Amino acid sequence: MPQDLVLIGGGHTHAIVLKMFGIKPLPEVRLTLISDVLHAPYSGMLPGHVAGFYGYEECHIDLRSLAEFAGCQILIDRAIAIDLNKNLVICQTHPPVNFDLLSVDIGSTPATLSVPGAAKYAIAAKPVPQFLASWNQLISERQNHLQKPLRIAIVGGGAGGVELALNMQSRLGKEEVRGKKEEGRRKREENLEKLSSEIHLFHSGAELMPAHNHRVRRRLQEILISRGIQLHLKEKVCAVKKIERETNPQFPITNYQISCKSGLELECDRIFWVTQASAANWIRESGLAADSNGFMQVNDCLQSVSHPNVFGAGDIAAMVNYPRPKAGVFAVRQGQPLFENLQQFLLEKPLKPFAPQEQYLGLIGTGNKRAIASRGSFMWESALLWYWKDWIDRQFMQKFSNLPKTSNTK
Ligand SMILES: Cc1cc2nc3c(=O)[nH]c(=O)nc-3n(C[C@H](O)[C@H](O)[C@H](O)COP(=O)(O)OP(=O)(O)OC[C@H]3O[C@@H](n4cnc5c(N)ncnc54)[C@H](O)[C@@H]3O)c2cc1C
């Protein structure tokens, strides 16, 4: 009897799993990918895309051609529950999907629910398609109204928030310069003072990027300050609201307000939310063992600790013996072990445990085609690092482009 392997989410780990299934297919296994997007964003290049260094195609994996290469049926839909008694994935629009073996790689989203107004008014960095739609809309508004002051707030001072702040500022700066070129010289000089966008970064801790060493933290703080990004450290945002009044003499297009526990309030045009990762509720609600934050608990073979025929990887999975930060590098590294263990399970062979590395090399782009390397207590800053990061990221994306047509399609 053919077996049904169903993958939920086309995240970094599943992209690698699909590529490997294309290279080494298993007969008698039907593959199905349930993904709510056709193009999966690659996190390593996302800040560079925001800065305008990469086009959309360069930093998105085309899941349709990848699925075709793997001989996998693709359903564009959102999984909303798993019926673990009947082995069914419940989708938003398609009928339930039957599985013998299931793997979940749906990522995470910044936690917004605990702060009143955040889910409604702030723009979360994930899901990425919604975030990019808002960012692109802001850029096109900016292109048409360069003379208007713009104030952006970013909530969350981890690596994601810091990288976004620097890359957003770089892009906004480019738009302003472009705008100025199009104006006459006199007008340009007149408007020079006025053409400016402000970025405010809010972070609840005393120092940014707590997951990195103090030299990295100090250097990035210096860079942010030197670029005029306004830091609000030890500020816990406790509410976000929309301001009903349409105009205010100082900032005419201001329409949101951030309130902090300290009493600090700030009006701004957009609020981006990049706080700590949270898990989809339906994972725990479906009955899968989950940690206190709702992330699916998996063993060293990436197998659910409660349901042996369910595997999990990437941000959504918490390896019970190896807690690690939610970062794309870990999701990518889980690709091969997940692929091998799914195959071992289907072949009824023993699973192979996997130990993720303890430290990892973080390459943090600073929005000016330079990068900072961070690993353990080590820090290095250079333009060369940007070109190295760019090379690594392009090599990764290369794996998923120009895939040959195979005879795998069932
Ligand atoms: C602004 C920002 C910048 C970052 N930069 C970096 C970086 O430079 N380097 C780094 O290592 N990490 C970075 N990260 C972290 C990184 O994005 C995540 O760790 C990584 O994406 C996790 O990969 P994943 O495979 O778990 O899931 P993802 O890559 O998030 O993919 C999950 C996929 O599942 C789909 N999906 C979700 N729910 C469903 C559902 N219910 N049904 C069907 N499909 C679903 C999603 O659309 C998505 O395509 C950054 C994060 C942010 C917010």
Side-chain angles (χ1 to χ4, degrees):
M1 285 288 282
Q3 301 185 83
D4 277 302
L5 166 57
V6 175
L7 310 178
I8 310 180
H12 296 51
T13 322
H14 277 175
I16 294 168
V17 166
L18 284 169
K19 175 75 191 276
M20 296 181 96
F21 260 104
I23 295 166
K24 199 176 159 204
L26 273 188
E28 300 303 312
V29 172
R30 278 192 305 243
L31 278 174
T32 303
L33 170 68
I34 302 171
S35 168
D36 59 355
V37 292
L38 251 186
H39 296 97
Y42 169 49
S43 61
M45 289 165 111
L46 186 64
H49 177 58
V50 166
F53 300 144
Y54 301 115
Y56 182 88
E57 278 86 18
E58 284 174 295
C59 60
H60 283 79
I61 299 169
D62 177 353
L63 292 177
R64 198 189 289 285
S65 66
L66 180 57
E68 207 173 291
F69 175 72
C72 173
Q73 168 189 201
I74 181 164
L75 295 184
I76 300 301
D77 205 343
R78 259 192 102 64
I80 53 170
I82 306 168
D83 182 335
L84 291 160
N85 295 321
K86 296 187 183 149
N87 282 356
L88 293 173
V89 179
I90 315 300
C91 298
Q92 210 156 45
T93 53
H94 286 81
V97 179
N98 183 66
F99 65 87
D100 297 299
L101 178 60
L102 181 68
S103 179
V104 185
D105 176 25
I106 56 168
S108 60
T109 52
T112 49
L113 288 179
S114 55
V115 177
K120 193 162 178 196
Y121 301 122
I123 302 156
K126 288 187 174 198
V128 175
Q130 285 88 321
F131 162 72
L132 286 182
S134 300
W135 174 245
N136 292 335
Q137 190 194 347
L138 175 64
I139 291 298
S140 61
E141 276 174 23
R142 197 76 195 127
Q143 285 161 345
N144 297 326
H145 301 285
L146 276 172
Q147 69 287 4
K148 283 190 186 167
L150 172 76
R151 188 185 268 180
I152 287 178
I154 298 175
V155 181
V162 167
E163 233 182 325
L164 265 194
L166 292 167
N167 285 280
M168 282 180 165
Q169 193 200 39
S170 158
R171 178 67 187 277
L172 290 167
K174 263 183 242 159
E175 293 303 331
E176 290 189 17
V177 170
R178 199 173 295 156
K180 283 177 202 163
K181 274 188 197 147
E182 281 158 19
E183 291 177 349
R185 188 171 155 269
R186 189 186 54 78
K187 220 168 163 220
R188 205 158 66 225
E189 280 164 7
E190 268 172 25
N191 283 337
L192 211 62
E193 299 281 285
K194 282 185 263 163
L195 282 174
S196 63
S197 41
E198 278 177 33
I199 298 191
H200 293 250
L201 182 57
F202 289 81
H203 182 59
S204 55
E207 281 191 278
L208 299 165
M209 303 178 57
H212 292 264
N213 69 63
H214 78 277
R215 294 172 64 206
V216 170
R217 296 201 292 256
R218 205 179 44 214
R219 181 65 193 128
L220 275 155
Q221 183 158 330
E222 278 168 14
I223 294 174
L224 289 160
I225 292 171
S226 71
R227 301 237 189 115
I229 292 173
Q230 302 192 31
L231 295 184
H232 303 279
L233 299 177
K234 292 203 253 177
E235 290 291 356
K236 193 153 179 57
V237 174
C238 59
V240 169
K241 70 174 182 192
K242 187 169 178 156
I243 301 168
E244 295 305 332
R245 134 182 66 92
E246 286 291 301
T247 56
N248 132 353
Q250 230 183 336
F251 298 101
I253 55 167
T254 298
N255 49 11
Y256 297 98
Q257 181 176 296
I258 276 190
S259 306
C260 298
K261 241 179 169 171
S262 66
L264 173 70
E265 290 187 336
L266 183 85
E267 290 182 8
C268 49
D269 304 285
R270 296 285 199 287
I271 301 165
F272 290 94
W273 208 263
V274 204
T275 56
Q276 85 193 72
S278 73
N281 292 337
W282 58 266
I283 291 292
R284 193 207 299 267
E285 286 163 6
S286 296
L288 286 168
D291 68 11
S292 57
N293 295 314
F295 291 99
M296 174 181 168
Q297 290 179 306
V298 295
N299 62 21
D300 301 355
C301 303
L302 301 171
Q303 183 182 37
S304 161
V305 296
S306 58
H307 294 79
N309 64 337
V310 183
F311 285 67
D315 279 8
I316 192 62
M319 291 186 79
V320 288
N321 294 325
Y322 300 102
R324 292 290 182 270
K326 304 288 178 203
V329 291
F330 290 108
V332 168
R333 292 286 162 86
Q334 289 174 343
Q336 177 150 357
L338 179 63
F339 166 74
E340 285 173 355
N341 280 325
L342 292 173
Q343 288 221 339
Q344 292 291 102
F345 187 95
L346 290 161
L347 296 169
E348 295 181 14
K349 289 186 178 169
L351 302 183
K352 298 177 186 170
F354 147 80
Q357 65 204 100
E358 214 156 300
Q359 291 188 344
Y360 69 102
L361 178 71
L363 288 168
I364 303 142
T366 46
N368 52 352
K369 295 212 168 174
R370 291 175 69 83
I372 289 181
S374 164
R375 187 186 162 102
S377 59
F378 164 88
M379 187 212 76
W380 183 33
E381 182 185 358
S382 155
L384 281 180
L385 285 172
W386 163 264
Y387 289 102
W388 187 37
K389 173 175 162 54
D390 176 68
W391 182 81
I392 294 172
D393 288 337
R394 286 183 190 278
Q395 289 289 108
F396 179 77
M397 289 304 290
Q398 189 62 36
K399 290 188 212 288
F400 307 106
S401 56
N402 302 321
L403 294 170
K405 295 256 180 271
T406 64
S407 55
N408 293 334
T409 313
K410 295 185 178 74

